[in-house]
Amino acid sequence: MTSFTNKNVLNLLKNLPRLTISNLRNNDGAVKKNKRGRAQHGGDKHGHGNKGSKARQNFMRPGYETGNTPFYMKFPREQYYKDHNVKRQYPPLSLYNLQKMIDLNRLDITKPIDLSALCNTGLYNINPEDKHFGVNLIDEGADIFKAKINIEVQWANEPTIAAIEKNGGVITTSFFDINSLFILINPKKFFKRGEAIPRRMIPPEDSILYYSSAANRGYLADPEKISWERFVLAQKYGYILPKIEDDPDYEMLVTRKDQRQIFYGLEPGWVVNLKDKVILKPIDSQLKDFYRS
Amino acid sequence: MALRMFYKNAIITSGVSLRLNNSICKRDSSYRSSPFALDPSHYAKFEVTSVPEEWKFVERLIPSKIIPAPPNSKDLPSGWQPQTTQFGKYPYFVHRTRNHMLPVYLKVSMRGMRRITQIKNVDGDIWALEVALKKHLQHLYGEKKIIATKVHEVCGHLFIHGDHVMKVCEWLIKKGL
């Protein structure tokens, strides 16, 4: 309180410089000069060390610690991705893309859809050389899916199965060994080779449970159990299961391949001649026995 | 090699049994060294059938050589929209791809840091399209946002800096392109 009465202090305040535009400036380091220093002005290494990948514009792979034992290799751990390079792959196809194919007349839904129909559109492709073993139908776009189809895929999850069965369709998961797969994805190329259609092999040990499970709509499962699982899924997802028996496309919807069959309607052992448009069938009893399911 | 071929031919013409022929046959790398095909009586018995019902199963496996015409319907479940605008309504035109899709793509480079929206198949006055699209995006994002564009007039490509694929697609569909 005394300072207000002190005239010397007031005089001091009067003579001190005012805060004006002429003496305003930024805090130190507030403005960074966006320039690379040259020569003695910080022009040596620019904070990038001496030579090597870090001095150049090189982005090291994730986890690499420039010669140290990387953190991910230091400790014993559960190898989640062990043998990932030999595991079977199922490239995904979404229900949204499937619906788009159907809308644009790329797929004929009056006939059963299998992998060869999908590959013949030219919009979906698998490469068995990269350990692709078929199509994984994923549930993206399950809400907009409206088509009634009979589809055979290699892998499907529960929401996908529900989305297809809700519209009165049928889905089957089935396994094709690599030899059958090469034939299935390009049937024209196979027919031109003039060979007999081989038998489809049964699934390997690690996937036989998947393909014989009714919940996965496996092709080796008991049909009666499948119809029960269809009902269970309808209860779970809360929709009324359309009756296939009353459907006008009943014949199409119940069409299924035999477990040894690769194509619909063509049996193993037959030779297709595309030029003369004839099918050669074996009548030798030994051959018939060999190709029998 | 030539001697073996001669020997084999001699065997076939002289009618020696197939078993003997097979026993001396050695498959080299060339197909010329493989045995000659004999008449069908030497092989497994088969019948030749041409049943139209069975041939239908073969026909459905042969891929179509043409892409089918797109539907005219506007309310498809997938949300695909047909191209309704006539050529010439706007000074510019964006053709659909051969699969009847919009030719709008996202190009990602620089380790995912640079994202560029590319519009292909542009016909007519590409500069007018650039102005119109820039105006629309500026309206959506506000005046402060810089919408940098690049025009490749010869190829009919328009590049916009940033990921605007969905917004460009919506704008094109709204215009009926």
Side-chain angles (χ1 to χ4, degrees):
Chain A
M1 298 300 276
T2 51
S3 65
F4 275 101
T5 54
N6 195 338
K7 293 238 167 134
N8 290 338
V9 177
L10 282 172
N11 282 334
L12 181 71
L13 260 175
K14 270 178 194 169
N15 293 325
L16 274 172
R18 302 290 107 190
L19 185 71
T20 60
I21 193 81
S22 62
N23 57 20
L24 270 179
R25 69 183 173 91
N26 283 320
N27 296 332
D28 278 350
V31 176
K32 205 174 172 185
K33 225 174 148 188
N34 193 16
K35 262 192 176 178
R36 177 166 61 91
R38 312 291 166 123
Q40 69 266 44
H41 312 289
D44 190 17
K45 303 284 198 297
H46 314 290
H48 269 278
N50 190 21
K51 287 188 177 177
S53 66
K54 280 189 168 177
R56 303 184 180 107
Q57 198 170 39
N58 177 305
F59 302 95
M60 287 168 291
R61 62 185 159 79
Y64 183 58
E65 293 177 22
T66 62
N68 296 345
T69 304
F71 181 80
Y72 70 90
M73 288 170 78
K74 259 183 182 165
F75 313 105
R77 77 285 184 196
E78 190 179 324
Q79 285 183 308
Y80 185 76
Y81 289 112
K82 196 184 178 189
D83 294 339
H84 71 279
N85 55 331
V86 292
K87 278 182 182 169
R88 288 189 299 279
Q89 307 290 321
Y90 297 89
L93 172 72
S94 67
L95 281 172
Y96 171 71
N97 281 342
L98 186 68
Q99 182 67 57
K100 211 148 79 171
M101 285 182 199
I102 293 164
D103 285 349
L104 291 167
N105 305 325
R106 302 300 286 268
L107 277 175
D108 187 5
I109 57 168
T110 60
K111 294 181 182 105
I113 298 165
D114 62 347
L115 189 60
S116 56
L118 288 173
C119 288
N120 280 346
T121 62
L123 302 172
Y124 180 82
N125 196 21
I126 66 159
N127 189 6
E129 281 149 341
D130 293 343
K131 312 223 166 27
H132 295 172
F133 269 76
V135 52
N136 175 10
L137 197 61
I138 58 170
D139 56 342
E140 192 182 318
D143 297 331
I144 60 121
F145 193 75
K146 291 284 178 294
K148 184 181 72 182
I149 49 168
N150 177 6
I151 192 165
E152 185 202 60
V153 295
Q154 278 62 51
W155 207 271
N157 60 359
E158 204 182 72
T160 310
I161 295 169
I164 285 172
E165 288 180 354
K166 190 183 171 185
N167 298 319
V170 174
I171 183 166
T172 317
T173 53
S174 70
F175 176 83
F176 287 89
D177 62 294
I178 190 136
N179 212 9
S180 311
L181 208 62
F182 271 113
I183 293 165
L184 190 68
I185 61 171
N186 198 346
K188 197 181 170 186
K189 192 181 172 188
F190 172 73
F191 292 150
K192 279 182 175 175
R193 262 158 52 192
E195 286 174 17
I197 302 169
R199 293 194 315 163
R200 191 185 349 164
M201 295 294 116
I202 56 163
E205 202 178 354
D206 58 344
S207 64
I208 200 143
L209 275 178
Y210 182 89
Y211 291 110
S212 53
S213 155
N216 299 326
R217 308 293 184 269
Y219 73 120
L220 301 173
D222 184 6
E224 278 189 9
K225 278 183 185 167
I226 286 179
S227 68
W228 169 249
E229 287 290 339
R230 278 167 65 87
F231 173 71
V232 168
L233 203 63
Q235 295 288 306
K236 186 177 174 184
Y237 281 77
Y239 57 86
I240 299 156
L241 191 67
K243 263 196 173 180
I244 289 182
E245 292 83 4
D246 306 338
D247 205 283
D249 302 324
Y250 175 76
E251 285 296 314
M252 184 275 285
L253 289 172
V254 295
T255 309
R256 292 182 92 198
K257 285 178 193 172
D258 186 77
Q259 53 176 295
R260 292 290 191 183
Q261 218 175 2
I262 296 174
F263 302 119
Y264 286 110
L266 302 177
E267 281 169 29
W270 292 6
V271 181
V272 174
N273 185 341
L274 286 178
K275 197 184 172 191
D276 301 338
K277 294 196 174 182
V278 290
I279 297 171
L280 316 182
K281 297 176 190 172
I283 46 175
D284 210 67
S285 61
Q286 238 179 333
L287 271 178
K288 271 186 170 177
D289 205 44
F290 174 75
Y291 284 118
R292 206 181 53 197
S293 169
Chain B
M1 170 83 185
L3 190 72
R4 199 161 67 226
M5 290 261 303
F6 174 75
Y7 181 52
K8 245 192 286 180
N9 283 338
I11 285 169
I12 288 158
T13 46
S14 62
V16 181
S17 73
L18 188 68
R19 232 177 76 208
L20 181 63
N21 189 23
N22 280 342
S23 63
I24 58 147
C25 175
K26 184 174 161 291
R27 177 74 186 246
D28 289 337
S29 58
S30 171
Y31 71 92
R32 287 192 188 88
S33 62
S34 57
F36 290 97
L38 305 173
D39 61 291
S41 62
H42 289 84
Y43 302 107
K45 284 175 191 148
F46 63 91
E47 57 172 345
V48 182
T49 59
S50 53
V51 185
E53 280 73 46
E54 281 170 0
W55 193 253
K56 276 180 191 166
F57 290 111
V58 178
E59 273 177 348
R60 73 161 79 159
L61 294 168
I62 307 302
S64 169
K65 280 184 181 171
I66 53 159
I67 293 167
N72 290 319
S73 174
K74 276 196 160 186
D75 50 341
L76 291 166
S78 65
W80 180 88
Q81 294 288 327
Q83 193 166 32
T84 49
T85 302
Q86 291 297 312
F87 189 85
K89 191 186 172 187
Y90 302 113
Y92 46 83
F93 195 78
V94 180
H95 297 274
R96 289 284 172 98
T97 66
R98 67 188 78 173
N99 289 326
H100 314 300
M101 297 291 159
L102 281 168
V104 185
Y105 307 96
L106 181 68
K107 307 203 92 178
V108 180
S109 57
M110 295 282 189
R111 291 171 59 86
M113 297 307 291
R114 185 205 273 160
R115 277 150 195 275
I116 287 170
T117 310
Q118 184 186 22
I119 304 159
K120 286 181 164 186
N121 298 0
V122 181
D123 210 344
D125 189 358
I126 190 168
W127 302 96
L129 175 68
E130 186 212 6
V131 170
L133 206 50
K134 212 168 176 175
K135 198 181 161 191
H136 171 70
L137 290 174
Q138 210 80 62
H139 174 72
L140 288 178
Y141 289 109
E143 289 300 313
K144 278 191 174 178
K145 174 100 174 177
I146 296 165
I147 308 289
T149 53
K150 186 172 94 175
V151 173
H152 195 321
E153 199 177 358
V154 179
C155 289
H157 294 179
L158 175 60
F159 301 91
I160 308 165
H161 196 269
D163 182 358
H164 311 296
V165 171
M166 290 313 289
K167 291 189 169 69
V168 169
C169 282
E170 278 167 19
W171 186 78
L172 287 171
I173 284 171
K174 209 177 163 188
K175 287 227 160 197
L177 287 163

